[in-house]
Amino acid sequence: MRYDTDSGLEIPTWHDTAQERLRLLAEVGLDGTPDAEFDRFAAHVSGTFAAELGSVGQGLYAMVNLFLPEAQTFVGLHNPPGAKPVARTMAPDHGFCPEMLGRTKALVLADVCAKPQFASNPVVDKLGVRTYAGAPLVHEQAGTVLGSVCVVGTSPLPKETRQTCLALIKRHRNALVELLGQRASASGGRHSTGFQGG
């Protein structure tokens, strides 16, 4: 656990909840294997942001991200055409999705460098990440964050796009929850999604 000075609460760390996340992911039929359907979903997320935001929303990376014990794993990944491709795994302390371990709400950073706690993240220097929007996949019964759906970009977005980005990423998180439910039904109901939207 770590103490969060903003909220005054003890926040679970990556490793505190690793085994519980792994058990819950297996329960809902997710094992971290890259999946063509999730890749298409990620491409759709990026395309929707581009359509809704216009020129400032072009060329965003998008991921369906699971928090596995040793790494973040992008089971769905969209690398924009012509952009430097990113790998399917990332260290637990890199990027902004791990921020959602202690929260159940979406996070939008129009410019990650606007706040010192985000500007120092390794992905800023290593990958040139300057904007982020993500929403957590929360297992409803356990209240545990199992992963996220997110977009990142290498240019900051205008502040006025924040509410649109928030609505878009939440909408796509809810669509992903629905997709997971359809997959569970198609597998004969062996897996219950257990995810919450909203």
Side-chain angles (χ1 to χ4, degrees), residues 3 12 15 56 88 104-106 113 130 143 146 171 181:
Y3 181 73
H15 295 291
V56 297
R88 289 218 179 239
T104 58
K105 296 180 180 176
C113 293
R130 289 297 303 274
L146 303 184
R171 189 171 89 204

Side-chain angles (χ1 to χ4, degrees), residues 42-185:
H44 175 70
V45 173
S46 179
T48 303
F49 269 75
E52 294 277 343
L53 298 178
S55 60
V56 297
Q58 303 297 311
L60 294 175
Y61 296 82
M63 296 90 167
V64 175
N65 185 9
L66 298 183
F67 297 168
L68 297 180
E70 301 303 325
Q72 301 175 71
T73 299
F74 306 139
V75 294
L77 175 62
H78 171 72
N79 285 302
K84 179 182 177 181
V86 298
R88 289 218 179 239
T89 60
M90 185 177 285
D93 60 341
H94 288 196
F96 308 103
C97 289
E99 291 290 326
M100 286 184 276
L101 275 174
R103 59 188 286 154
T104 58
K105 296 180 180 176
L107 174 66
V108 173
L109 303 168
D111 182 355
V112 301
C113 293
K115 294 189 177 182
Q117 73 265 36
F118 297 126
S120 62
N121 193 281
V123 297
V124 175
D125 290 332
K126 288 186 177 181
L127 301 175
V129 173
R130 289 297 303 274
T131 193
Y132 170 88
L137 294 169
V138 183
H139 191 280
E140 191 167 23
Q141 288 80 19
T144 300
V145 178
L146 303 184
S148 61
V149 58
C150 71
V151 295
V152 299
T154 55
S155 299
L157 287 172
K159 287 181 184 177
E160 60 269 21
T161 64
R162 188 182 180 284
Q163 287 304 314
T164 300
C165 289
L166 183 63
L168 282 172
I169 203 64
K170 288 169 71 175
R171 189 171 89 204
H172 285 99
R173 184 267 317 278
N174 294 344
L176 180 57
V177 168
E178 188 174 325
L179 173 61
L180 291 168
Q182 291 167 0
R183 286 170 63 127
S185 296

